[in-house]
Amino acid sequence: MKSLLREPLVHFAVAALLVFAVHGVWTTYVARQDGTITISRADLQRMAALYASESGALPSQADMAAMVSDRIRDEALSREARRLGLDRDDTIVERRLAQKMTFMISDLAETPEPDEATLRAWYDAHVDTYTRPPEVTFEHVFLSPERHGDTLDRDAATLLATLNAPAAPDWQTLGDPFILQRAYGDLPIREVVRLFGADFAGTLAGLAEMDEWQGPVQSAFGLHLVHVIASTPSHVEPFETVRAKVEADWREDALRAANEAAVDDIVQRYKVHIEGAE
């Protein structure tokens, strides 16, 4: 018997009975005042499921009673607010209702299944979307202007010779500490601009792939000696490679168009009169 009482489902059943009791008393009172507030079994299940998802445990009797009381309180107050007309001429309420209507339209909207020709036509019409920007893979050694002062250029030349020497030490042990990474793979040039500045990105894009270190290259931080491992020019990705993304993009656009058409259909049902407008 004791083990049975420890079962969560037993607790939930007891809680449900308590909820129904609270619900019965409260709704009887409310019904005498103005209308009826109904908390359905589905409502109770949703409350319990939401509580369980947030807390990781089934609600206790007190938890269920509190949730039901809060729900009834909110419903009673919202009904009274509507009775007094507080929902009218309220921008926040209007926007929230419009948002909920938009969500409902989106949930009900259906888009046809695209065939291969449709997707290829979409791909051709939006080829810029599937064009990869120039990318570069490189390593760099940083020299800080604050640390080197007037000898910065000379120190950079000496370090460059060291890096390109036949028995060069590990490049990662050379140079000054740097706040970003020392190596990047397949980094778009636009990201190089964001991280290092336009001047550094422009110079880096012009460097050839080679086994030797090059530079120095000026950035917003200081000087860098750079080893360009690979450089990929801008190119259009083949349809077969990005087909899944093309279909996802097409569906998103088709759904947006369907939503806009549904909203426009609703708007067209109403006559619009603007006072003072000719």
Side-chain angles (χ1 to χ4, degrees):
M1 183 65 178
K2 291 183 178 179
S3 61
L4 181 62
L5 292 176
R6 296 194 192 100
E7 289 294 327
L9 289 178
V10 174
H11 294 172
F12 182 76
V14 174
L17 291 174
L18 176 63
V19 167
F20 287 129
V22 173
H23 166 239
V25 173
W26 189 280
T27 51
T28 299
Y29 168 77
V30 173
R32 292 174 180 171
Q33 303 302 312
D34 181 23
T36 300
I37 295 176
T38 300
I39 307 296
S40 67
R41 291 178 181 271
D43 292 331
L44 295 174
Q45 292 173 355
R46 279 194 295 270
M47 292 180 194
L50 179 61
Y51 183 95
S53 67
E54 293 178 347
S55 66
L58 289 174
S60 66
Q61 298 176 11
D63 294 327
M64 285 300 298
M67 285 189 289
V68 171
S69 294
D70 288 343
R71 172 68 179 272
I72 294 171
R73 176 180 180 275
D74 291 343
E75 178 65 20
L77 289 175
S78 65
R79 287 188 185 188
E80 186 65 13
R82 288 194 295 271
R83 189 184 70 80
L84 296 174
L86 300 183
D87 58 326
R88 295 191 292 271
D89 300 323
D90 188 310
T91 302
I92 295 177
V93 173
E94 290 176 354
R95 287 179 179 174
R96 180 56 179 158
L97 290 174
Q99 184 185 53
K100 292 186 72 173
M101 189 65 194
T102 302
F103 290 155
M104 189 183 77
I105 291 173
S106 181
D107 290 339
L108 296 176
E110 295 183 359
T111 57
E113 286 295 320
D115 56 23
E116 202 72 4
T118 298
L119 293 181
R120 285 189 175 273
W122 171 269
Y123 170 82
D124 293 336
H126 302 84
V127 68
D128 289 348
T129 304
Y130 310 105
T131 300
R132 295 191 64 172
E135 297 173 339
V136 61
T137 297
F138 69 98
E139 304 163 337
H140 71 99
V141 174
F142 174 65
L143 291 94
S144 168
E146 288 75 15
R147 290 194 174 210
H148 296 270
D150 295 338
T151 65
L152 178 62
D153 292 333
R154 184 170 67 251
D155 293 344
T158 301
L159 183 55
L160 181 62
T162 300
L163 287 166
N164 288 325
D170 182 2
W171 67 271
Q172 297 185 74
T173 65
L174 303 176
D176 300 323
F178 189 61
I179 61 173
L180 302 177
Q181 296 175 212
R182 285 174 167 248
Y184 292 88
D186 297 328
L187 187 68
I189 289 297
R190 61 171 176 263
E191 281 298 296
V192 178
V193 173
R194 185 180 68 84
L195 294 173
F196 294 89
D199 291 341
F200 180 92
T203 303
L204 184 67
L207 296 179
E209 299 176 24
M210 58 176 59
D211 292 335
E212 293 187 346
W213 288 79
Q214 304 175 71
V217 180
Q218 181 76 45
S219 78
F221 303 100
L223 292 183
H224 305 257
L225 302 175
V226 179
H227 176 209
V228 178
I229 300 172
S231 182
T232 306
S234 175
H235 63 284
V236 179
E237 296 183 280
F239 173 81
E240 292 73 18
T241 303
V242 294
R243 187 189 183 287
K245 186 177 188 308
V246 171
E247 182 173 350
D249 292 343
W250 181 91
R251 288 184 181 279
E252 181 181 350
D253 185 74
L255 181 60
R256 180 169 54 249
N259 290 344
E260 290 175 356
V263 171
D264 186 62
D265 180 64
I266 292 174
V267 172
Q268 295 303 319
R269 299 174 192 173
Y270 294 85
K271 295 180 180 180
V272 177
H273 172 69
I274 304 176
E275 292 185 357
E278 296 181 0

